Amino acid sequence: ARSRPHRGHLQRQGRRGQEHGGRWEREREETRVVLGSPRVNPARLPPSLPPVNIAVALAAAGVRVGLLDADVHGPSVPRLLGLRAAPQPSLDSSNRLVPLRNYGVRALSMGMLIEPAKAALWRGPMVMSAIETLTRRADWGGTDLLLLDMPPGTGDAHLSVAQRLPLVGAVVVTTPSSVAADDAARGAAAWAAAGVPILGVVENMGPAACAACGAEGSVFGEGGAAALAAAGLAAPLLATV
């Protein structure tokens, strides 16, 4: 990462989220912090890499972190966390899904519940039911921070999450391309319309260093994420990856 999160900004947003998250917290009898991550699907690097990397880093720092893969149609978290060949999540005594764990991160994904090569050709109600299962019908007890890896764009998964969970805020993950930034702006606008604060922007697929000479080149364009953060969202550019 080329820049670090502004700690005070995240803490202020976190307090705001805790104030309106009462119903979920009362049901679980614990503090629950949820981070939504709308994103644009780039051509090469998996867009789930930033949420996965953040989750692993938080776990290494001692945070009890959970990662929920809300991309029902294109789940990639199981592969990125090395859980693709793991057994399916089990059920506890209360018939709730028990998240799988690797690198200190507890995770759930539809990719853990269906065959890897099988497509989830589901309409809206089934997508929303899947999100309900992964959130309300799973044992996330003892989690300090729950990260949600959202699918690209806006749709049923986003609506379901916004209606059911007390979100602290959303981190927008985009690429340097201005076209990708335009799509990310629409996703961010949907979260803002739902009353979810935008915590900042992460630029994926940033400048790459040449293995031979070390010179950096912007293979996938440049400037889109910075412009989106400064002008479109009035939110900080948290990092370039």
Side-chain angles (χ1 to χ4, degrees):
R2 299 180 182 277
S3 59
R4 296 181 179 178
H6 190 290
R7 226 169 161 186
H9 177 78
L10 296 179
Q11 289 171 348
R12 287 194 299 274
Q13 298 290 13
R15 286 194 292 270
R16 186 186 309 173
Q18 290 169 357
E19 290 170 2
H20 74 263
R23 185 167 69 90
W24 172 271
E25 291 161 8
R26 286 196 300 272
E27 288 176 356
R28 294 298 192 191
E29 296 182 354
E30 62 190 36
T31 300
R32 177 74 66 185
V33 180
V34 182
L35 175 66
S37 175
R39 55 192 168 82
V40 171
N41 193 5
R44 299 287 182 90
L45 296 179
S48 295
L49 269 179
V52 169
N53 287 341
I54 291 171
V56 172
L58 287 168
V63 178
R64 297 176 299 179
V65 62
L67 178 60
L68 192 156
D69 187 356
D71 192 345
V72 174
H73 295 107
S76 56
V77 165
R79 179 182 289 277
L80 294 175
L81 277 180
L83 294 170
R84 199 161 184 257
Q88 285 192 351
S90 60
L91 298 176
D92 64 10
S93 58
S94 299
N95 210 34
R96 296 180 301 176
L97 284 171
V98 178
L100 300 182
R101 183 189 297 268
N102 204 12
Y103 303 111
V105 177
R106 302 168 68 201
L108 276 179
S109 168
M110 286 307 299
M112 301 172 182
L113 303 175
I114 61 176
E115 296 178 11
K118 186 176 181 180
L121 301 175
W122 295 349
R123 295 184 182 274
M126 293 186 68
V127 172
M128 298 175 80
S129 176
I131 299 296
E132 178 79 9
T133 297
L134 296 175
T135 54
R136 302 281 186 176
R137 300 172 191 168
D139 181 15
W140 293 107
T143 303
D144 297 322
L145 182 67
L146 181 62
L147 303 178
L148 275 75
D149 179 29
M150 300 301 300
T154 57
D156 296 302
H158 304 78
L159 180 62
S160 180
V161 165
Q163 290 177 338
R164 287 170 167 78
L165 300 178
L167 299 176
V168 169
V171 172
V172 180
V173 181
T174 185
T175 72
S177 165
S178 58
V179 175
D182 289 343
D183 289 340
R186 284 187 282 271
W191 288 117
V196 179
I198 304 300
L199 302 180
V201 178
V202 171
E203 182 181 72
N204 202 11
M205 298 171 65
C210 174
C213 66
E216 290 190 346
S218 299
V219 180
F220 301 101
E222 57 185 341
L228 173 66
L233 301 180
L237 180 62
L238 301 175
T240 296
V241 182

